[in-house]
Amino acid sequence: MVPLWMYLVVAAALFSTGLYGVLARRNAIAILMSIELMLNAVNINLVAFWRYQKPGDVSGQVFAAFVFVVAAAEAAVGLALIIAIYRRRQSVIAEDMNLMKW
Amino acid sequence: MDITIQHGVFVIFTLVTLGSALLVVTVRNLFHAALYLMLCLFGVAGLFALLTAPLLAGFQVVIYIGAIAILIIFAIMLTPQVTRVIKTTNAQWPVAIVVAVLFFVMILSVVSPLMDELGVDDWNADFTQEDADRVPDSTLTDFGESLVSRDRFVLPFEIASIMLMAALIGAVLVVSPDAILRRDESQPPPSDTSVSADTGASGD
Amino acid sequence: MDINWLDADYLPWLILFFPLLSFGIIVLFTARNHVLSQAVALAGIGIAWVLSLIEFAHVAWIGDLELGKEVYGSTTGWLDLGKNTFEMGVMVDPLTAYMLLMVPLACLMIFIYSRGYMHGDAHNSRFFAYISLFAGAMLTLVLADNLLLLFIGWEVMGFCSYALIGFWSHKKSAYQAGVKAFMTTRVGDVLMLVGIGYLLLEASAFFGAPTLSFRDILYNDAMLEHLVQTDAVIFGGSAAGLIGVLLVAGTIGKSSQFPLHVWLPDAMEGPTPVSAMIHAATMVSAGVYMVVRMFPLLSAGADYHHGDFSTPMIVMGVIGAITALGAAILAVGQNDIKRILAYSTISQLGYMVAALGVGAWIAAVFHLVNHAFFKALLFMCSGVVIHSMEHGEHQAEEHGYPHEPHDEPDGLVMDYCAPPNDVQRMGGLAHRIPVTAITMALGGLSLAGFPLLTAGFWSKDEIIAEAWHGAGEGYMLPLFVVLALLIAAGLTAFYTARMWFLTFWGQPRTPAAHYAGQGSFRRRWVRFWNRSRWGQQAALEDEPLPAADRGIMLHMEMPLVVLAVLAVVAGFIGIHKDILGVNPLHDFLVETTFDHADVLGFSLLPMLASIVLALGGLGLGYWVYGLRPLKQGQVDPTEKALGPGIWRVLQNRFYIDILYRDYLVRPVEWFAVNIVIQTIDKETIDGVLETVAETFNGLGEMCKRFNRVVIDGVGDGIPQSIGEFAGWFRQQQTGRIQQYLLFVTLALLALGALFLIQVR
């Protein structure tokens, strides 16, 4: 089998890619997509650890399934917010969303 | 370490995942980025399958690619300024690259066996494991039962469903056009607080 | 698992659950409906009250346990720490049971009263949600069986007090007072948390498992002995002493003792029911309750019956005595009716803390509960007075008196007194709100310690008697305590009389007082007055007064009557054994600890001293303010007697608040803004290079400013630089989420790196 650490490295790379996207992209939807990448990286970790350490116990899989649920909710609410903001301000650029500045 | 066909498949899926992930965060056209995101999610689904978690691979395809990615594409189409955006990154992108790379290096220094060999790292955990027990055949049933069994995950499961419901209602409320919001605005504003301030708490 | 929730072991969970539940219900479901929210809050506290009566009955009569060694209660695993589990639970012993008699009842009265007082406020639901949470947190604190759960209740109350003091947050002074209360108590809380941590460390070392349970620590002589034998990590002395002093510091903040007493007088900015809540049933009582609860630890290793006091006891004795006396002096020089009461609270809490300092913990608990009753009463009375005066102001304007401009100051000002609160502008209110006048007189007499009849007398006397006893043996600490407390007792009687007579006696001194709103039973009172001896000298016309809203007044006056009765009779259960032959309170409470103190013999001398002082103070007050009521335009005789200099010092509260502001708060603010934020939260709009450059630039700026401050002197430079800096700094909050996120990630990286280095 493929050694465990390879999966971890892939997950780390995916996570870092997502991190870069979150920090650097201007478009809020792009940021949201980057967050999805990060969530996927976490899921890879969860499943890999489950497979290598405790394949007899489904907890690892259940955990990953819950991450799916959270990701779905997050995407729904996040996109709704972005669309609502777009309606008001005609922009999806994260830097423009600075109403809290004083 | 014997090179098996598994390794080959792993490399392919890895390349697909990481390559399209990089494209997601770099391409200019957001629509393309969404398509690459789907590809990337496919790659992850492949990795799940490789890890003998076909159920999760299926979830990945159905939920992520079937629902979330489609939702994202909808959002992109509903916010049509994409094409006008010339600059895709903000001013801090060089720092972001540095930070992301540093982050990667940090995690690498923990998980990579290379560090162990170099003597940099003496973690107790062993990530070089290559063989694992067989996945029992009953995994699928266990998975289903554990979600509804009282001493396992029924509570998180119910909470998750409530959260999904809340997210659904919240999303509808947030995007629904002014029809819902206008009802509040048509009402008279709540009684003026400055009055109750001057009179302390007197009620008249 | 089968749990009978009405079992005395599990009932405590329900007691604290219901007020918290009403908080949840109001916040989540009924926030839009004020009436429903009020009903939910009342139901929550009402159920808690009934349940605590049942629980009390269990402990007092039905229970067949050996009190003190065994208590009612149950625990549940709360935090899995690998091999061990940290247990959380509730317990009821006599001390808790006695508190359960007071807390829910006082809260219930305050809730009922709030229905009237908050009538028409736009944020009724928020108010009732917060006070429900407040009550729930207090019950959690009282019922907790370990120090950590107690601390959770303690902190939730801290938050609630902040939210409620600043309830009218559109007033700058209100939110400033909220912040002041929060930050001041925080000083004590942090020290207390350190104490708890240290105790946890020692307990883990002793038991091999982390525990903070009272039963493990306080009822365990071996554990206490261990703490006494262990040397403290710093300052020398024993671990017990250091932990004790740190815990006492928490009380100093929470119970508003010198030098952290500054927040309580300003807490008057909140609505009056909140003041009653903070001063009587919850917040300040919590501090005293905690030290009583921890008393076995605080007095560990000391033989206080024979003049050997432990460090925490000395701290409590000295601070309590100073507070009792200082606050009593300050109360004499106040004109704001609520502020007079606030200082009297501080002073009375000083009594309790000083009592603990000389080992009289039963007397302290006794006084705590009595004080809660009469102080809740007094505050709610003052609320009616203020309400009535506000009504009068509106009426006076309608009758053509010119509107007196309230030039409300911008923020907290030490010697400012809002017109409706000013006793100098009242007078003659007894004929307008008679029920309040009578109940407030009863509460005042209890506070002043009117001999033999009132609750305040018996408990205060017991404290003084115990300190007197120690002083008679020739120990320094009790001597100091008893002197301070006796002087304070005289002053208390005097300022109480001054407050009451200025408010209710004589003729109205302003149009507002003349047109003050009317309470229940006014006409009957006027008729009664005219037939009385005073009436023959100055008969009242039965002039038609503008009626304040009847329903509201009735709502507010009902709890007053209940509490007035309690303020008198609550003391009879604790009268000294040698007088009535039995002292049920003492016999009940003494089982709380192993230390079965021998009852001191009754001695007449301290009782005579306190009778003389109480009557003397009241008599002096009557002589000065009662015989010749203050007339319009006259200067307050106390002010005349003290002279303008001393008066101003009192009005400015010994300048302690200003001292703190100028020499503690401002420099810290300056440090935070100039050094911490400027160098740490600096911007990186255009990448790393600019961050570095700007940081150095900022450092240079800071040096420059520092120079100028040193040269120009503290008074001038600091405020100016704050202003300039604020102007610059507000531009730095970019509101860009990604930038904030970048900092978060950087911090995460730094932490990760630190962790990796550590592990290697």
Side-chain angles (χ1 to χ4, degrees), chain C residues 241-486:
Chain C
L242 182 59
I243 294 169
V245 171
L246 288 169
L247 293 180
V248 170
T251 294
I252 290 174
K254 210 64 158 184
S255 289
S256 189
Q257 298 293 296
F258 177 83
L260 296 180
H261 64 283
V262 290
W263 65 273
L264 197 67
D266 289 319
M268 299 303 110
E269 291 289 336
T272 304
V274 175
S275 309
M277 196 95 176
I278 291 177
H279 286 250
T282 56
M283 187 95 170
V284 296
S285 304
V288 176
Y289 171 79
M290 192 272 289
V291 279
V292 173
R293 174 57 75 199
M294 302 307 290
F295 190 67
L297 172 65
L298 302 186
S299 62
D303 182 10
Y304 51 87
H305 296 301
H306 301 99
D308 177 17
F309 298 98
S310 63
T311 324
M313 291 178 79
I314 296 172
V315 171
M316 283 193 290
V318 171
I319 284 189
I322 292 175
T323 312
L325 185 56
I329 295 172
L330 281 176
V332 173
Q334 302 297 325
N335 280 333
D336 186 322
I337 186 168
K338 283 174 82 178
R339 214 170 280 158
I340 298 175
L341 290 173
Y343 277 112
S344 81
T345 305
I346 298 178
S347 167
Q348 298 302 308
L349 289 164
Y351 273 83
M352 299 168 209
V353 173
L356 284 162
V358 296
W361 66 271
I362 293 183
V365 180
F366 188 28
H367 196 51
L368 174 65
V369 169
N370 291 343
H371 171 260
F373 285 137
F374 66 68
K375 191 49 62 73
L377 169 65
L378 286 170
F379 263 108
M380 301 208 291
C381 287
S382 78
V384 178
V385 169
I386 293 166
H387 186 82
S388 173
M389 285 294 288
E390 281 166 353
H391 194 80
E393 268 178 24
H394 291 297
Q395 290 294 333
E397 266 177 55
E398 278 178 26
H399 283 77
Y401 287 93
H403 176 72
E404 293 172 70
H406 299 195
D407 38 350
E408 279 201 18
D410 191 29
L412 285 176
V413 172
M414 290 306 112
D415 50 357
Y416 171 73
C417 173
N421 298 9
D422 191 346
V423 286
Q424 302 292 349
R425 300 162 50 88
M426 297 177 185
L429 288 181
H431 311 313
R432 287 157 181 82
I433 38 175
V435 175
T436 309
I438 293 169
T439 48
M440 193 161 189
L442 287 174
L445 288 176
S446 202
L447 168 65
F450 187 77
L452 303 181
L453 286 179
T454 59
F457 170 74
W458 294 110
S459 48
K460 203 184 284 187
D461 178 62
E462 200 174 326
I463 293 177
I464 290 175
E466 294 230 14
W468 184 289
H469 177 80
E473 308 267 311
Y475 309 133
M476 282 311 290
L477 183 67
L479 186 66
F480 175 62
V481 167
V482 80
L483 283 179
L485 294 195
L486 280 175

Side-chain angles (χ1 to χ4, degrees), chain B residues 90-92 95-96 99 102-103 106 109-110 120-123 183-184 191 193-194 196-204, chain C residues 117 119 121-123 168 170 387 390-391 394 685-688 738-739 742 745-746 748-749 752-753 755-756 759-760:
Chain B
N90 59 21
Q92 66 181 14
V95 195
V99 165
L102 281 178
F103 208 94
M106 190 173 84
S109 75
V110 177
V120 180
D121 201 354
D122 52 352
W123 290 90
R183 199 190 61 202
D184 279 348
S191 62
T193 48
S194 65
S196 63
D198 289 341
T199 60
S202 70
D204 27 21
Chain C
Y117 193 86
H119 182 87
D121 193 281
H123 303 291
W168 288 319
H170 48 81
H387 186 82
E390 281 166 353
H391 194 80
H394 291 297
I685 297 171
D686 289 327
V688 181
Q738 284 168 304
Q739 208 170 351
L742 188 68
T745 322
L746 281 172
L748 201 63
L749 273 175
F755 178 69
L756 287 178
V759 172
R760 292 185 47 224

